[in-house]
Amino acid sequence: MNNSTDPTNDQPGTNVFTFYNNHSHSVIIDQVVTPIFYVIGLPANPLSAYIWLNRKTRANNSSAIYLGALSISHVIFLLFHILQELRYAWDIKTYDGHISCEIFNMLFCIPQYLAPLLVLGFTVERYIAVCHPFKKARYCTVKRAEMVVVCLLVTCLLISTLQAYFWTYDEVHQICNHRPEIQNGDFLLLWTWLTELLLFGVAPLAALIFNILVIREIHILTSGGPAHTGSSGGSSQASTATLLCVSFYLICTWLPYTVIYSLSNEFPIGDFSLTTQEVQRDATWQRHFVYNTIRVIVQEITLSNSACYFFIYYATGKHFRDSVHEILCPKKCIATTNRNHLAKQYIAVSKSSHLNGTVATCV
């Protein structure tokens, strides 16, 4: 999702936004679809974090720690993504400046790196709880989950620190760009490929393998008779179904983008000096525009990963659903509903009793 290898950054003297806006549909897709996920994710993620991390939910529920941290990570990512979107989809300068360029690109990578690692973390924990239940009391604890989240956060912070070195403000062209001394070297390319493939390729694939093992174990247990394959059945526990859906959703949204990203060198950009008519006839540009449009569509699907987990929580978790109802519907509203329901019951009983007498006037 980051723009660390965006080839259009290396085109001095070219208004890239205007060029792509005139020749490609990718800018329009960005401008129309992306704000929808902002509207969904910015209110939904804080609500999810509040529910997962409140004292009642996280008590003896280590999975809630991971899901709460994941919701916070998504909020931070969406806030940074707005700045990037204004820069690349609307041509509004936001973080183009001294220091802000380096800090933005470093901080923007942290929530991106953290999300797949958090999903992998609770996927491994769910594997231990289901496939090795005797080790659950030792490894699947709230304290251990908090330690794992902190360790993952520190790891992502260290990995993203290099982005502050890769990026700098170009005073000549007044843009945030890669440092000249590393643009023609191999270190930036190797580091980017290493981090992208490990975090957005290997981590989701590892989560997929653990999910398959969990599903296989649940199938074995249920086929042999009644078995408790969930967490503990308590209202404060995140269900196995919720965690599996979250994990599979990340896999289905991140892996396609990783594949598309890996093909970027096969569809290079063309010559920016060509006229509009020449661009329309240029095979290199046309192949790049088709690829770029597909990439943006897949990127929007990936962006949904940071906005739509709320619906998975709501659909698969009874405790989460009840908590949402309690927050969105005040107690007075609930009390009024209950009173109205009792009143209707009273009327129904009164009518049925009159039916047995001589003064019944309604059916």
Side-chain angles (χ1 to χ4, degrees):
M1 295 295 295
N2 64 70
N3 59 330
S4 57
T5 57
D6 192 341
T8 61
N9 287 339
D10 300 328
Q11 304 297 326
T14 302
N15 190 327
V16 177
F17 172 80
T18 302
F19 188 90
Y20 273 81
N21 196 32
N22 293 335
H23 298 89
S24 175
H25 299 294
S26 58
V27 175
I28 298 177
I29 296 174
D30 263 343
Q31 293 177 343
V32 173
V33 179
T34 302
I36 297 176
F37 293 122
Y38 295 155
V39 172
I40 296 174
L42 288 177
N45 282 314
L47 178 60
S48 300
Y50 173 79
I51 294 174
W52 289 125
L53 296 179
N54 70 64
R55 184 176 302 177
K56 179 181 177 181
T57 305
R58 71 173 187 268
N60 299 321
N61 183 10
S62 56
S63 298
I65 304 299
Y66 290 102
L67 295 176
L70 185 63
S71 299
I72 295 175
S73 174
H74 285 156
V75 173
I76 297 174
F77 169 74
L78 289 176
L79 292 175
F80 280 119
H81 195 274
I82 292 176
L83 298 178
Q84 187 199 53
E85 192 71 6
L86 290 174
R87 177 65 182 86
Y88 284 94
W90 297 92
D91 198 27
I92 300 175
K93 291 187 176 182
T94 51
Y95 54 87
D96 294 283
H98 294 287
I99 301 178
S100 61
C101 172
E102 292 86 343
I103 293 178
F104 173 84
N105 283 283
M106 181 188 73
L107 296 180
F108 187 40
C109 287
I110 295 176
Q112 297 181 68
Y113 295 160
L114 185 59
L117 294 180
L118 288 173
V119 173
L120 179 60
F122 71 66
T123 302
V124 172
E125 183 188 73
R126 188 53 34 179
Y127 164 78
I128 295 174
V130 174
C131 300
H132 304 279
F134 294 108
K135 297 182 180 180
K136 177 181 177 181
R138 179 181 178 183
Y139 293 103
C140 304
T141 64
V142 173
K143 184 177 180 180
R144 185 175 291 272
E146 293 172 346
M147 293 175 58
V148 171
V149 170
V150 171
C151 291
L152 293 178
L153 178 60
V154 172
T155 301
C156 295
L157 177 61
L158 294 176
I159 295 175
S160 62
T161 301
L162 275 177
Q163 296 295 332
Y165 169 71
F166 293 154
W167 291 86
T168 188
Y169 180 67
D170 189 339
E171 294 184 353
V172 176
H173 304 106
Q174 297 184 346
I175 59 173
C176 190
N177 205 347
H178 290 138
R179 294 182 182 274
E181 58 268 26
I182 67 171
Q183 286 185 9
N184 299 323
D186 296 329
F187 179 68
L188 172 63
L189 182 62
L190 292 175
W191 177 259
T192 301
W193 274 103
L194 177 64
T195 54
E196 297 284 334
L197 290 179
L198 283 178
L199 296 171
F200 307 126
V202 176
L205 283 175
L208 175 61
I209 293 173
F210 282 112
N211 279 337
I212 293 174
L213 294 175
V214 170
I215 294 174
R216 177 178 176 272
E217 184 68 17
I218 292 175
H219 175 72
I220 293 174
L221 292 174
T222 54
S223 62
H228 294 286
T229 58
S231 43
S232 69
S235 60
S236 63
Q237 298 295 327
S239 68
T240 300
T242 299
L243 299 178
L244 286 175
C245 290
V246 169
S247 185
F248 273 119
Y249 188 47
L250 177 129
I251 294 168
C252 294
T253 53
W254 271 112
L255 282 182
Y257 184 77
T258 303
V259 174
I260 292 293
Y261 175 84
S262 66
L263 298 175
S264 58
N265 291 333
E266 303 297 325
F267 302 90
I269 60 176
D271 185 359
F272 277 92
S273 64
L274 298 179
T275 63
T276 301
Q277 291 77 14
E278 291 173 335
V279 168
Q280 297 298 329
R281 296 191 300 264
D282 186 73
T284 301
W285 269 120
Q286 294 307 310
R287 290 180 73 250
H288 174 74
F289 287 145
V290 172
Y291 164 78
N292 195 53
T293 301
I294 296 175
R295 181 187 65 82
V296 170
I297 294 174
V298 175
Q299 182 173 299
E300 294 297 337
I301 296 174
T302 306
L303 181 61
S304 71
N305 186 267
S306 299
C308 299
Y309 276 148
F310 173 86
F311 303 108
I312 295 178
Y313 302 150
Y314 186 88
T316 60
K318 183 180 183 304
H319 171 73
F320 185 89
R321 188 162 54 248
D322 293 341
S323 299
V324 171
H325 294 168
E326 184 178 347
I327 293 173
L328 299 182
C329 189
K331 292 182 178 180
K332 291 182 178 180
C333 176
I334 297 176
T336 303
T337 302
N338 291 336
R339 286 197 299 269
N340 292 337
H341 179 66
L342 291 175
K344 291 180 180 178
Q345 286 184 326
Y346 173 77
I347 293 174
V349 171
S350 299
K351 289 182 178 179
S352 62
S353 62
H354 280 290
L355 289 175
N356 296 325
T358 57
V359 293
T361 57
C362 44
V363 180

